[in-house]
Amino acid sequence: MRRPGAPIGQISRGFGYSLIELLIAVAITAVLLAIAVPGYHQFILKARRTDAIQALTAVLHAQERYRLQHAVYSDSLAKLSLPAEISRHYALSLSPDVGGKFMTGYTVAAHVRPDSPQVHDLQCLAMSIVVTGSAYVHKSSHPSCWPS
């Protein structure tokens, strides 16, 4: 670009960026995004696991409240007075303990909903809490699913 008042043929570099400078800036931005986006995606998947943990814990507490009133655990999630959609990314299921009854224990499991973006979290597609008597155990396909 020619500076006003400069002789014809003399180019001034004070009025903008060259194409090379712009390409270098774009390349640096692309490299930074290539590094940051996959890490951010993994962070989002890990953060959504708390949705399952929160829902499983809510069922655990609701089951204990139900047992105080009825002397047995509930055999249905509907009887626990939980919100209709307790988890946006996980579907919950309830199954009895080894004896086939909900007298002394149960298992509550959270499985990723097929329409959820959480299906890309291949490490933690299913998480559960197994309750036997007064003790409970967290279970999942990978140890990193549950926070330490």
Side-chain angles (χ1 to χ4, degrees):
M1 178 175 239
R2 190 170 80 77
R3 186 180 47 167
I8 295 178
Q10 185 179 4
I11 296 176
S12 171
R13 299 214 5 103
F15 287 103
Y17 298 103
S18 71
L19 181 60
I20 297 296
E21 291 169 330
L22 288 174
L23 288 175
I24 290 171
V26 168
I28 290 172
T29 304
V31 168
L32 290 175
L33 283 174
I35 293 169
V37 168
Y40 177 72
H41 183 66
Q42 288 300 320
F43 175 77
I44 293 297
L45 290 176
K46 188 176 178 182
R48 284 190 193 126
R49 289 178 198 159
T50 60
D51 188 37
I53 293 169
Q54 185 178 21
L56 290 171
T57 305
V59 171
L60 183 76
H61 292 164
Q63 280 281 44
E64 293 304 323
R65 285 191 302 271
Y66 186 90
R67 187 173 184 206
L68 283 173
Q69 296 173 354
H70 300 93
V72 294
Y73 291 112
S74 171
D75 59 351
S76 167
L77 292 171
K79 293 179 184 178
L80 297 177
S81 303
L82 294 168
E85 189 176 310
I86 191 167
S87 174
R88 293 183 338 181
H89 302 288
Y90 292 85
L92 299 178
S93 63
L94 197 59
S95 57
D97 64 355
V98 180
K101 297 182 181 178
F102 288 89
M103 297 296 286
T104 60
Y106 61 93
T107 299
V108 59
H111 299 277
V112 174
R113 293 179 189 265
D115 59 340
S116 170
Q118 195 65 11
V119 295
H120 301 293
D121 185 10
L122 301 178
Q123 290 183 337
C124 302
L125 291 174
M127 300 169 68
S128 62
I129 296 178
V130 178
V131 176
T132 53
S134 61
Y136 63 91
V137 178
H138 300 128
K139 291 193 174 185
S140 61
S141 55
H142 195 272
S144 68
C145 297
W146 291 92
S148 320

